[in-house]
Coordinates of all heavy atoms in Angstrom, one line a residue:
T14 N 96.6 96.6 108.8 CA 95.4 96.6 109.6 C 94.2 96.9 108.7 O 94.2 97.8 107.9 CB 95.5 97.7 110.7 OG1 96.7 97.4 111.5 CG2 94.3 97.7 111.6
I15 N 93.1 96.1 108.9 CA 92.0 96.2 108.0 C 90.7 96.3 108.8 O 90.5 95.6 109.8 CB 91.9 95.0 107.1 CG1 93.1 95.1 106.1 CG2 90.6 94.8 106.4 CD1 93.3 93.8 105.3
Y16 N 89.7 97.1 108.3 CA 88.4 97.1 108.9 C 87.4 97.1 107.7 O 87.7 97.5 106.6 CB 88.2 98.4 109.7 CG 89.0 98.6 110.9 CD1 90.2 99.4 110.8 CD2 88.7 97.9 112.1 CE1 91.0 99.5 111.9 CE2 89.5 98.1 113.2 CZ 90.7 98.9 113.1 OH 91.5 99.0 114.2
Y17 N 86.2 96.5 108.1 CA 85.1 96.5 107.1 C 83.8 96.9 107.8 O 83.6 96.7 109.0 CB 84.9 95.1 106.6 CG 86.0 94.4 105.8 CD1 86.9 93.6 106.4 CD2 86.2 94.7 104.5 CE1 87.9 93.0 105.7 CE2 87.2 94.2 103.8 CZ 88.1 93.3 104.4 OH 89.1 92.7 103.7
A18 N 83.0 97.6 107.0 CA 81.6 97.8 107.5 C 80.9 96.5 107.6 O 81.1 95.6 106.9 CB 80.9 98.7 106.5
D19 N 80.0 96.4 108.6 CA 79.2 95.2 108.8 C 78.5 94.7 107.5 O 78.4 93.5 107.3 CB 78.2 95.4 109.9 CG 78.9 95.5 111.3 OD1 80.1 95.1 111.4 OD2 78.2 95.9 112.2
S20 N 78.0 95.7 106.7 CA 77.2 95.3 105.6 C 78.0 94.6 104.5 O 77.4 94.0 103.6 CB 76.6 96.6 105.0 OG 77.6 97.5 104.6
V21 N 79.3 94.6 104.5 CA 80.1 94.0 103.5 C 81.1 92.9 104.0 O 81.7 92.3 103.2 CB 81.0 95.0 102.7 CG1 80.1 96.2 102.2 CG2 82.1 95.6 103.6
K22 N 81.1 92.7 105.3 CA 81.9 91.6 105.9 C 81.6 90.3 105.3 O 80.4 89.9 105.1 CB 81.8 91.6 107.4 CG 82.5 92.7 108.1 CD 82.3 92.6 109.6 CE 83.0 93.7 110.3 NZ 82.8 93.7 111.8
G23 N 82.6 89.6 104.9 CA 82.4 88.3 104.3 C 82.2 88.3 102.8 O 82.3 87.3 102.1
R24 N 82.0 89.5 102.2 CA 81.8 89.6 100.8 C 82.9 90.5 100.1 O 83.2 90.2 99.0 CB 80.4 90.3 100.5 CG 79.2 89.5 101.0 CD 77.9 90.1 100.6 NE 77.7 91.4 101.0 CZ 77.6 92.5 100.2 NH1 77.6 92.3 98.9 NH2 77.4 93.7 100.7
F25 N 83.4 91.5 100.8 CA 84.4 92.4 100.2 C 85.7 92.1 100.9 O 85.8 91.8 102.1 CB 84.0 93.8 100.5 CG 82.8 94.3 99.7 CD1 82.0 93.5 99.0 CD2 82.6 95.7 99.7 CE1 80.9 94.0 98.3 CE2 81.5 96.2 99.0 CZ 80.7 95.3 98.3
T26 N 86.8 92.3 100.1 CA 88.1 92.1 100.6 C 89.0 93.3 100.1 O 89.1 93.6 98.9 CB 88.8 90.8 100.1 OG1 88.0 89.7 100.5 CG2 90.2 90.7 100.7
I27 N 89.6 94.0 101.1 CA 90.5 95.1 100.7 C 92.0 94.5 100.8 O 92.3 93.7 101.6 CB 90.4 96.3 101.7 CG1 91.1 97.5 101.1 CG2 90.8 95.9 103.1 CD1 90.8 98.8 101.9
S28 N 92.8 95.0 99.8 CA 94.1 94.5 99.8 C 95.0 95.6 99.1 O 94.4 96.6 98.6 CB 94.3 93.2 99.0 OG 93.9 93.4 97.7
R29 N 96.3 95.5 99.2 CA 97.2 96.4 98.6 C 98.3 95.7 97.9 O 98.7 94.6 98.2 CB 97.7 97.5 99.6 CG 98.9 97.1 100.4 CD 98.6 96.1 101.4 NE 99.7 96.0 102.4 CZ 99.8 95.1 103.4 NH1 98.9 94.2 103.5 NH2 100.9 95.2 104.2
D30 N 98.8 96.3 96.8 CA 100.0 95.9 96.1 C 101.0 97.1 96.3 O 100.9 98.0 95.5 CB 99.7 95.6 94.7 CG 100.9 95.0 94.0 OD1 102.1 95.3 94.4 OD2 100.7 94.2 93.0
N31 N 101.9 97.0 97.2 CA 102.8 98.1 97.5 C 103.7 98.4 96.3 O 104.0 99.5 96.0 CB 103.7 97.7 98.7 CG 102.9 97.8 100.0 OD1 101.8 98.3 100.0 ND2 103.5 97.2 101.0
A32 N 104.1 97.4 95.5 CA 104.9 97.6 94.3 C 104.2 98.4 93.3 O 104.8 99.2 92.6 CB 105.4 96.3 93.7
K33 N 102.9 98.3 93.2 CA 102.1 99.0 92.3 C 101.5 100.3 92.9 O 100.8 101.0 92.1 CB 101.0 98.2 91.7 CG 101.5 97.0 90.8 CD 100.4 96.2 90.2 CE 100.9 95.1 89.4 NZ 99.8 94.3 88.8
N34 N 101.7 100.5 94.1 CA 101.2 101.7 94.8 C 99.6 101.8 94.6 O 99.1 102.8 94.4 CB 101.8 102.9 94.3 CG 102.0 104.0 95.4 OD1 102.1 103.7 96.6 ND2 101.9 105.3 95.0
T35 N 99.0 100.6 94.8 CA 97.6 100.5 94.5 C 96.9 99.7 95.6 O 97.4 98.7 96.1 CB 97.4 99.8 93.2 OG1 98.0 100.6 92.1 CG2 95.9 99.6 92.8
V36 N 95.7 100.1 95.9 CA 94.8 99.4 96.8 C 93.6 98.9 96.0 O 93.1 99.6 95.1 CB 94.3 100.3 98.0 CG1 93.2 99.7 98.8 CG2 95.5 100.8 98.8
Y37 N 93.2 97.7 96.4 CA 92.1 97.0 95.7 C 90.9 96.8 96.6 O 91.1 96.7 97.8 CB 92.5 95.7 95.1 CG 93.7 95.8 94.2 CD1 95.0 95.5 94.6 CD2 93.5 96.2 92.8 CE1 96.0 95.6 93.7 CE2 94.6 96.3 92.0 CZ 95.8 96.0 92.4 OH 96.9 96.1 91.6
L38 N 89.7 96.7 96.1 CA 88.5 96.3 96.8 C 87.9 95.2 95.9 O 87.2 95.5 94.9 CB 87.6 97.4 97.0 CG 86.4 97.1 97.9 CD1 86.8 96.8 99.3 CD2 85.3 98.2 97.9
Q39 N 88.0 94.0 96.3 CA 87.4 92.8 95.7 C 86.0 92.7 96.3 O 85.8 92.5 97.5 CB 88.2 91.6 95.9 CG 87.5 90.3 95.3 CD 87.5 90.4 93.8 OE1 88.5 90.7 93.2 NE2 86.4 90.0 93.2
M40 N 85.0 92.8 95.4 CA 83.6 92.8 95.8 C 82.9 91.5 95.2 O 82.8 91.4 94.0 CB 82.9 94.0 95.4 CG 83.5 95.3 95.8 SD 82.6 96.8 95.4 CE 82.6 96.7 93.6
N41 N 82.5 90.6 96.1 CA 81.9 89.4 95.7 C 80.4 89.4 96.2 O 80.1 90.1 97.1 CB 82.6 88.2 96.2 CG 84.0 88.1 95.7 OD1 84.3 88.4 94.6 ND2 84.9 87.5 96.5
N42 N 79.6 88.5 95.6 CA 78.2 88.4 96.0 C 77.5 89.7 96.1 O 76.9 90.1 97.1 CB 78.1 87.6 97.3 CG 76.7 87.2 97.6 OD1 75.9 87.0 96.7 ND2 76.4 87.0 98.9
L43 N 77.7 90.5 95.1 CA 77.1 91.9 95.1 C 75.6 91.9 95.2 O 74.9 91.0 94.6 CB 77.6 92.6 93.9 CG 79.0 93.1 93.9 CD1 79.6 93.4 92.6 CD2 79.1 94.3 94.9
K44 N 75.1 92.8 95.9 CA 73.7 93.0 96.1 C 73.2 94.3 95.6 O 74.0 95.2 95.4 CB 73.4 92.9 97.6 CG 73.9 91.6 98.3 CD 73.6 91.6 99.8 CE 74.2 90.4 100.5 NZ 73.6 89.2 100.0
F45 N 71.9 94.5 95.4 CA 71.3 95.7 95.0 C 71.7 96.9 95.8 O 72.0 98.0 95.3 CB 69.8 95.6 95.0 CG 69.2 94.7 94.0 CD1 68.4 93.6 94.4 CD2 69.5 94.8 92.6 CE1 67.8 92.8 93.5 CE2 68.9 93.9 91.7 CZ 68.1 92.9 92.2
E46 N 71.8 96.6 97.1 CA 72.2 97.7 98.1 C 73.6 98.2 97.9 O 74.0 99.2 98.5 CB 72.0 97.2 99.5 CG 70.6 96.6 99.8 CD 70.6 95.1 99.5 OE1 70.3 94.7 98.4 OE2 70.8 94.3 100.5
D47 N 74.4 97.5 97.2 CA 75.8 97.9 96.9 C 75.9 98.9 95.8 O 77.0 99.5 95.6 CB 76.7 96.7 96.6 CG 76.8 95.7 97.7 OD1 76.9 96.1 98.9 OD2 76.7 94.5 97.4
T48 N 74.8 99.2 95.1 CA 74.9 100.2 94.1 C 75.2 101.6 94.6 O 74.5 102.1 95.5 CB 73.5 100.2 93.4 OG1 73.3 99.0 92.7 CG2 73.5 101.3 92.3
A49 N 76.3 102.2 94.1 CA 76.7 103.4 94.6 C 77.9 103.9 93.8 O 78.5 103.1 93.0 CB 77.1 103.4 96.1
S50 N 78.3 105.1 94.0 CA 79.6 105.6 93.5 C 80.6 105.2 94.6 O 80.4 105.6 95.8 CB 79.6 107.1 93.2 OG 78.8 107.4 92.1
Y51 N 81.7 104.6 94.2 CA 82.7 104.2 95.2 C 84.0 105.1 95.0 O 84.4 105.4 93.9 CB 83.1 102.7 94.9 CG 82.1 101.8 95.5 CD1 80.9 101.6 94.8 CD2 82.4 101.0 96.6 CE1 79.9 100.7 95.3 CE2 81.4 100.1 97.1 CZ 80.2 100.0 96.4 OH 79.3 99.1 96.9
Y52 N 84.5 105.5 96.2 CA 85.6 106.4 96.3 C 86.7 105.8 97.2 O 86.4 105.2 98.2 CB 85.2 107.8 96.8 CG 84.1 108.5 96.1 CD1 82.7 108.2 96.3 CD2 84.4 109.4 95.1 CE1 81.7 108.8 95.6 CE2 83.4 110.1 94.5 CZ 82.1 109.8 94.7 OH 81.1 110.4 94.0
C53 N 87.9 106.1 96.8 CA 89.0 105.8 97.8 C 89.5 107.2 98.3 O 89.4 108.2 97.6 CB 90.1 105.0 97.2 SG 91.0 105.7 95.8
A54 N 90.1 107.1 99.4 CA 90.6 108.3 100.1 C 91.7 108.0 101.0 O 91.9 106.9 101.4 CB 89.5 109.0 100.9
R55 N 92.6 109.0 101.2 CA 93.8 108.7 102.0 C 93.7 109.5 103.3 O 93.0 110.6 103.4 CB 95.0 109.1 101.3 CG 95.3 110.6 101.2 CD 96.7 110.9 100.7 NE 97.0 112.3 100.9 CZ 98.1 112.9 100.5 NH1 99.0 112.2 99.8 NH2 98.3 114.2 100.6
R56 N 94.3 109.0 104.3 CA 94.5 109.7 105.6 C 95.8 109.2 106.2 O 96.3 108.1 105.9 CB 93.3 109.4 106.5 CG 93.2 108.0 107.0 CD 92.0 107.8 107.9 NE 92.3 108.1 109.3 CZ 91.4 108.1 110.3 NH1 90.2 107.8 110.1 NH2 91.8 108.4 111.5
R57 N 96.3 110.0 107.1 CA 97.4 109.6 107.9 C 97.0 108.6 109.0 O 95.9 108.8 109.6 CB 98.1 110.8 108.6 CG 98.9 111.7 107.6 CD 100.2 111.1 107.2 NE 101.1 112.0 106.5 CZ 102.3 111.7 106.1 NH1 102.8 110.5 106.3 NH2 103.0 112.6 105.4
G58 N 97.7 107.6 109.2 CA 97.4 106.7 110.3 C 97.7 107.4 111.6 O 98.5 108.3 111.7
G59 N 96.9 106.9 112.6 CA 97.1 107.5 113.9 C 96.5 108.8 114.1 O 96.9 109.6 115.0
S60 N 95.5 109.2 113.3 CA 94.9 110.5 113.4 C 94.0 110.7 114.6 O 93.7 111.8 115.0 CB 94.1 110.8 112.1 OG 92.9 110.0 112.1
G61 N 93.6 109.5 115.2 CA 92.7 109.6 116.3 C 91.3 109.5 116.0 O 90.5 109.4 117.0

């Protein structure tokens, strides 16, 4: 299950490689407004 912020829909793609235990964020057509520090974080699914 995947969600995107409206500001990145159509430009960013999230994916995972379970074998590598890694999540990716492919960012295309980058804009000035995308400048930031990017963080990944974990949560339990179904937290509400």
